[in-house]
Amino acid sequence: MTSPRTRRLAVLASGRGSNFRALADAAARGTLGGTIAVLACDRGDAGAIELSRERGIPVELPDPGPSPRRLDAAAAPAWIERLRAHDVDTLLLAGFMRILPPTILDAFPGRVLNIHPSLLPAFPGLDAIARAFAHGVRQAGCTVHLVTAGIDDGPILGQAAVAVEDGDSVASLAERVHAAEHRLYPEVVRRFLGEPFAVVGRRVVWAAGERA
Amino acid sequence: MTSPRTRRLAVLASGRGSNFRALADAAARGTLGGTIAVLACDRGDAGAIELSRERGIPVELPDPGPSPRRLDAAAAPAWIERLRAHDVDTLLLAGFMRILPPTILDAFPGRVLNIHPSLLPAFPGLDAIARAFAHGVRQAGCTVHLVTAGIDDGPILGQAAVAVEDGDSVASLAERVHAAEHRLYPEVVRRFLGEPFAVVGRRVVWAAGERA
């Protein structure tokens, strides 16, 4: 068993890696409650890869299979093997654009987290910020949740609200939502790694709150 | 034409009238941008009625018809007549528990507002706070919106987020959501009465924001 202070984490990313950067910064400061032991990407042109190399974090690029939006079930064993080779017990999705097959969720039960750029359950799925903006919401935000078989539907670990301002565009709103993500995700990971909780129905009930 | 400063408003309520109280307090302070000319209720035991009498605001109790959840279409002409007798041009729903028929919306086109205790589009309909709590959200809130034929589906005029705290119960969360409603509703009414806006798609775009 590793202690909470030395938990080994994998980050899965497909894109520019701004959430990966926020997580890696927190780990470097010692405020994440764990170590990022590996970055796994589904595409070789992910910006996160360059960031990872700059920071000396190993990168894995297993074949994700033919579907552009899913990690293929046939590809899952290789992903699990490559992740386990780094002795990680927790997966942090950070702009990972493929739906995970059940075998990967089963390999890290209850220990796969995702961040989504809306106040779930509103605006699950793709283009959440643009859809919230077009809907005319005045409070946007982001959500860190446990990953389950449903899309953006797992128990909510943390949320941050971001007010829509008069004169906002999708781009200006997105900038503030992403900044909120970069604050929220490391905070919630630290809490997830350090504080017991129970899932009651679909509520996450933290031990500290119940003692209060 | 009345000037914005003397807009005459009707409040429609079914319950204890805490939002009615917040609106009446703002009107009395001169910060609502209008005068509450009448309270209309669908039930004679609404707590709002006593409040209204204390403040010298006329009360109307037109027959709402037989359905417990709708204002009957056959009853609508009497409601419209009784409201118009008070020379109001804007209706503020404040815990009014019946769906309005199209004839009432058509009689006050684009000038019927409602407050709902969730961050719409999440949790429309009844028991919104309890449903949000059971869903495990960490950001609850409230929404003021224009009323359209859809349930809690009209363009959003304003929203306030309310963080769910560790150890919250539905009751403790509801108390803070209601407090947020009592701040939000008068602010949004003032803005609605005083500042031009356009509905673009389903976004409310305020003139001040576009000039910014």
Side-chain angles (χ1 to χ4, degrees):
Chain A
M1 289 287 285
T2 54
S3 82
R5 288 206 162 272
T6 58
R7 292 304 271 270
R8 291 175 63 81
L9 318 171
V11 175
L12 275 64
S14 303
R16 64 200 173 100
S18 69
N19 274 304
F20 168 61
R21 183 197 298 267
L23 293 165
D25 286 349
R29 284 193 305 266
T31 60
L32 191 64
T35 300
I36 300 175
V38 61
L39 171 75
C41 293
D42 59 334
R43 42 192 298 170
D45 61 352
I49 294 171
E50 183 58 29
L51 270 173
S52 200
R53 292 194 169 132
E54 287 169 11
R55 286 152 194 262
I57 297 170
V59 177
E60 295 283 359
L61 276 166
D63 181 0
S67 164
R69 310 292 308 150
R70 298 186 165 271
L71 202 157
D72 206 62
W79 279 72
I80 293 167
E81 187 190 331
R82 303 273 285 272
L83 291 167
R84 284 192 171 147
H86 294 273
D87 195 25
V88 300
D89 70 354
T90 301
L91 309 189
L92 307 177
L93 310 189
F96 190 69
M97 299 302 285
R98 291 171 190 263
I99 297 164
L100 297 182
T103 44
I104 290 192
L105 300 180
D106 292 346
F108 301 91
R111 302 197 66 85
V112 184
L113 278 62
N114 184 40
I115 188 157
H116 180 79
S118 78
L119 291 176
L120 292 171
F123 308 108
L126 294 175
D127 297 322
I129 299 173
R131 285 160 51 224
F133 183 83
H135 192 89
V137 303
R138 298 295 295 192
Q139 294 286 338
C142 51
T143 302
V144 177
H145 63 93
L146 294 170
V147 176
T148 58
I151 306 284
D152 301 328
D153 188 44
I156 292 169
L157 294 165
Q159 291 185 306
V162 175
V164 178
E165 306 292 346
D166 294 335
D168 254 336
S169 62
V170 173
S172 63
L173 176 61
E175 196 171 314
R176 294 203 310 287
V177 171
H178 292 318
E181 291 177 50
H182 303 160
R183 291 187 297 270
L184 181 71
Y185 208 177
E187 284 173 17
V188 172
V189 168
R190 179 193 179 89
R191 191 171 200 196
F192 174 82
L193 295 175
E195 186 178 329
F197 64 89
V199 179
V200 179
R202 53 166 301 141
R203 290 174 59 223
V204 172
V205 179
W206 299 91
E210 288 306 278
R211 287 197 303 269
Chain B
M1 289 288 284
T2 53
S3 82
R5 287 204 162 273
T6 58
R7 292 305 270 269
R8 292 174 62 81
L9 318 171
V11 175
L12 275 64
S14 302
R16 63 198 174 103
S18 69
N19 273 304
F20 168 61
R21 183 198 297 268
L23 293 165
D25 285 350
R29 286 193 304 266
T31 60
L32 190 64
T35 300
I36 299 176
V38 62
L39 171 75
C41 292
D42 60 334
R43 42 192 298 170
D45 61 352
I49 294 172
E50 182 58 31
L51 270 174
S52 201
R53 291 194 169 133
E54 288 168 10
R55 286 150 195 265
I57 297 170
V59 177
E60 296 281 359
L61 277 166
D63 180 0
S67 163
R69 309 293 308 150
R70 297 185 166 272
L71 202 159
D72 206 61
W79 279 72
I80 293 167
E81 188 190 330
R82 303 272 285 273
L83 291 167
R84 284 192 170 147
H86 294 273
D87 195 26
V88 300
D89 71 354
T90 300
L91 310 189
L92 307 177
L93 310 190
F96 190 69
M97 298 303 286
R98 290 171 190 264
I99 298 164
L100 297 182
T103 44
I104 289 192
L105 299 180
D106 292 346
F108 301 91
R111 302 198 66 84
V112 184
L113 278 62
N114 185 40
I115 187 155
H116 180 80
S118 78
L119 291 175
L120 293 170
F123 308 108
L126 294 176
D127 298 322
I129 299 172
R131 285 160 51 224
F133 183 82
H135 191 91
V137 302
R138 298 295 296 192
Q139 295 286 339
C142 51
T143 302
V144 177
H145 63 93
L146 294 171
V147 176
T148 58
I151 306 284
D152 301 326
D153 188 45
I156 291 169
L157 294 164
Q159 290 185 307
V162 174
V164 178
E165 306 292 347
D166 294 334
D168 253 338
S169 62
V170 174
S172 63
L173 176 61
E175 196 172 314
R176 295 203 310 287
V177 171
H178 292 319
E181 290 178 50
H182 303 159
R183 290 188 298 270
L184 181 71
Y185 207 177
E187 284 173 19
V188 172
V189 168
R190 180 193 179 90
R191 193 171 198 196
F192 174 82
L193 295 174
E195 187 178 326
F197 65 88
V199 179
V200 180
R202 54 166 300 139
R203 289 175 59 223
V204 172
V205 180
W206 300 92
E210 288 306 277
R211 287 197 301 269

